[in-house]
């Protein structure tokens, strides 16, 4: 439904006026409530804004509601007190009329019994002091006592469990603290060891750099003086390795020659025995002369080959001496 702008403005203004009136009413109620609460004391200053106004107004309404409830409870208690007083007066008059007995005429023991009965009724919160009221109250109290004992036993069991868990936890905490101390001690030792290794590594790096610089300077100095590359450390080491290899080869060749000589000696031994067997035979001039000549030629060839092998073995050390100069120089170079 379409409305005119003037109508809308008028309704908005009316709404604002109503809100303002409500705020003023709330402020008045809050002021009266605060004055009632603090009385002659000065009211503390507070920031006035919609939020604080709403909060204080809500508190004032709650306070009023509570005051009304309290007043109703007080009135109810006063009414009950009046009823109890009237009933007590009725009972006193009844006792006086029937048995001529009053509270003042009781003995001290009777007064103490009566006070105990009244105190028991108050403690048990019974309606009256009759036996029908005391028995359910005592039964209820006994049931409460039984439940309390059962709850106490459960709490004791739970407490024992908690005590055992606490003991185990304390032992575990102690073990963890000891392990932590051991770990810290081990860590400190390892840290000191690592620091020592780091310092040694730094020292070795510095020493290595110094030696590298000195080696480089020495190489530059030797190269400036015209040193041959064959006299360098690497060349000498390579030459030493070659010499060791050649010596090993010579030793192997000597061993092989010795083995060959042994084989030749083994081969000539049967021929000598055969020749000796021919010498023991009766002489046949022509045939014996032929066999003797054949044996001599075979023996001479064997001796020549053996002599040749021995000469070759004698020549090998001379060649090595010629290659290295002499044996003393060879051992000096190897060392």
């Amino acid at each position: 439904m379409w409305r005119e702008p003037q109508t809308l403005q008028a309704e908005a203004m009316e709404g604002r006026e109503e809100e303002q009136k409500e705020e003023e009413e709330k402020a008045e109620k809050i002021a009266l409530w605060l004055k009632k609460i603090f009385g002659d004391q000065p009211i503390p200053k507070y920031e006035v804004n919609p939020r604080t106004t709403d909060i204080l107004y809500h508190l004032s309404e709650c306070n009023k509601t509570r005051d009304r409830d309290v007043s109703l409870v007080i009135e109810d208690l006063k009414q009950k007190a009046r009823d109890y007083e009237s009933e007590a007066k009725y009972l006193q008059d009844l006792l006086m009329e029937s048995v001529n007995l009053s509270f003042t005429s009781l003995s001290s023991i009777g007064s103490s019994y009566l006070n105990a009965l009244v105190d028991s009724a108050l403690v048990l919160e019974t309606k009256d002091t009759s036996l029908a009221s005391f028995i359910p109250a005592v039964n209820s109290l006994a049931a409460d006592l039984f439940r309390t004992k059962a709850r106490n036993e459960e709490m004791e069991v739970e407490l024992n469990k908690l005590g055992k868990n606490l003991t185990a936890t304390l032992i575990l905490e102690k073990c963890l603290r000891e392990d932590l101390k051991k770990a810290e001690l081990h860590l400190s030792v390892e840290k000191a060891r690592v620091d020592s290794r780091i310092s040694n590594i730094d020292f070795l790096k510095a020493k290595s750099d110094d030696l590298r610089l000195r080696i480089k300077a020495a190489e530059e100095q030797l190269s400036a003086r015209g040193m041959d590359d064959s006299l360098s450390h690497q060349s000498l080491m390579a030459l030493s390795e070659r010499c060791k290899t050649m010596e090993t080869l010579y030793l192997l060749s000597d061993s092989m020659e010795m083995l060959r000589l042994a084989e030749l000696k083994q081969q000539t031994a049967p021929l000598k025995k055969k020749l000796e067997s021919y010498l023991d035979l009766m002489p046949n001039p022509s045939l014996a002369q032929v066999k003797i000549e054949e044996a001599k030629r075979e023996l001479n060839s064997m001796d020549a080959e053996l002599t040749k092998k021995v000469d070759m073995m004698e020549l090998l050390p001379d060649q090595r001496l010629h290659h290295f100069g002499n044996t003393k120089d060879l051992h000096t170079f190897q060392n």
Side-chain angles (χ1 to χ4, degrees):
M1 183 178 182
W2 181 80
R3 294 183 180 180
E4 294 181 359
Q6 294 178 357
T7 306
L8 294 175
Q9 290 178 0
E11 290 179 355
M13 289 178 65
E14 290 177 359
R16 285 194 294 270
E17 289 177 357
E18 291 178 358
E19 291 178 359
Q20 188 174 2
K21 287 180 181 180
E22 290 179 358
E23 293 293 333
E24 291 177 355
E25 290 177 358
K26 287 182 180 180
E28 291 177 359
K29 291 180 180 180
I30 290 168
L32 293 174
W33 175 66
L34 292 174
K35 187 176 181 180
K36 181 181 178 182
I37 293 295
F38 290 98
D40 297 334
Q41 296 179 2
I43 299 173
K45 294 182 179 180
Y46 62 92
E47 183 180 357
V48 179
N49 54 41
R51 184 172 180 274
T52 56
T53 301
D54 292 337
I55 292 172
L56 291 173
Y57 181 75
H58 179 68
L59 290 175
S60 66
E61 292 295 327
C62 292
N63 196 333
K64 289 178 181 178
T65 304
R66 188 188 64 179
D67 292 341
R68 284 195 300 270
D69 294 339
V70 170
S71 63
L72 292 174
V73 172
I74 291 171
E75 291 295 331
D76 183 58
L77 292 175
K78 287 180 179 180
Q79 183 63 37
K80 287 182 179 180
R82 286 193 294 268
D83 294 339
Y84 290 152
E85 288 177 357
S86 62
E87 187 175 357
K89 187 177 180 182
Y90 170 74
L91 292 175
Q92 288 178 0
D93 295 339
L94 182 62
L95 288 173
M96 285 295 295
E97 292 177 358
S98 60
V99 293
N100 194 16
L101 181 65
S102 65
F103 183 75
T104 56
S105 63
L106 291 174
S107 62
S108 59
I109 296 174
S111 298
S112 63
Y113 288 164
L114 185 58
N115 291 328
L117 186 63
V118 173
D119 293 336
S120 299
L122 292 174
V123 170
L124 295 175
E125 297 179 353
T126 58
K127 182 175 64 173
D128 51 25
T129 58
S130 63
L131 188 61
S133 298
F134 272 109
I135 290 175
V138 171
N139 291 333
S140 177
L141 188 62
D144 293 339
L145 180 62
F146 179 76
R147 286 194 295 270
T148 304
K149 286 183 179 179
R151 192 179 300 111
N152 288 335
E153 291 176 357
E154 292 177 358
M155 292 179 67
E156 286 180 359
V157 173
E158 189 68 23
L159 184 61
N160 291 329
K161 290 181 180 179
L162 291 175
K164 292 180 181 179
N165 293 333
L166 180 61
T167 304
T169 304
L170 292 175
I171 294 172
L172 180 61
E173 183 181 3
K174 185 178 179 181
C175 295
L176 290 175
R177 289 182 183 276
E178 292 178 357
D179 293 339
L180 182 61
K181 288 181 180 179
K182 291 180 182 179
E184 289 177 351
L185 180 61
H186 182 70
L187 182 62
S188 61
V189 172
E190 290 295 329
K191 185 177 180 182
R193 187 180 299 173
V194 170
D195 293 337
S196 176
R197 288 182 178 178
I198 290 173
S199 61
N200 292 333
I201 289 172
D202 294 336
F203 173 75
L204 292 175
K205 284 183 178 179
K207 191 70 175 178
S208 176
D209 294 337
D210 182 38
L211 291 174
R212 192 179 292 108
L213 293 174
R214 290 171 63 182
I215 290 170
K216 186 176 180 181
E219 289 177 352
E220 291 177 354
Q221 186 177 3
L222 290 174
S223 62
R225 291 181 180 179
M227 186 191 75
D228 191 4
D229 293 337
S230 62
L231 298 177
S232 64
H233 178 72
Q234 294 180 353
S235 300
L236 293 175
M237 290 297 294
L239 182 60
S240 175
E241 292 295 330
R242 287 197 298 271
C243 291
K244 289 180 181 179
T245 304
M246 291 179 66
E247 185 177 1
T248 304
L249 292 174
Y250 287 142
L251 291 175
L252 289 174
S253 63
D254 290 343
S255 300
M256 291 177 69
E257 294 296 330
M258 292 294 294
L259 290 173
R260 289 178 181 177
L261 288 175
E263 290 177 357
L264 290 175
K265 287 181 179 180
Q266 290 177 359
Q267 292 177 2
T268 56
L271 294 175
K272 288 182 178 181
K273 289 181 180 180
K274 187 177 180 180
L275 181 61
E276 290 176 357
S277 64
Y278 282 116
L279 292 175
D280 293 336
L281 296 174
M282 292 298 292
N284 188 350
S286 60
L287 184 59
Q289 188 68 30
V290 172
K291 295 291 183 180
I292 289 170
E293 291 297 330
E294 290 179 356
K296 284 182 178 181
R297 284 196 299 274
E298 188 174 357
L299 182 61
N300 290 330
S301 64
M302 291 279 188
D303 290 336
E305 187 175 358
L306 181 61
T307 302
K308 184 178 179 182
K309 297 293 183 181
V310 171
D311 292 338
M312 289 179 65
M313 289 177 64
E314 291 178 354
L315 287 175
L316 287 174
D318 295 336
Q319 291 178 359
R320 281 181 285 180
L321 288 174
H322 178 71
H323 181 73
F324 293 106
N326 52 36
T327 307
K328 184 178 181 181
D329 294 337
L330 178 61
H331 289 293
T332 302
F333 176 74
Q334 290 177 352
N335 293 329

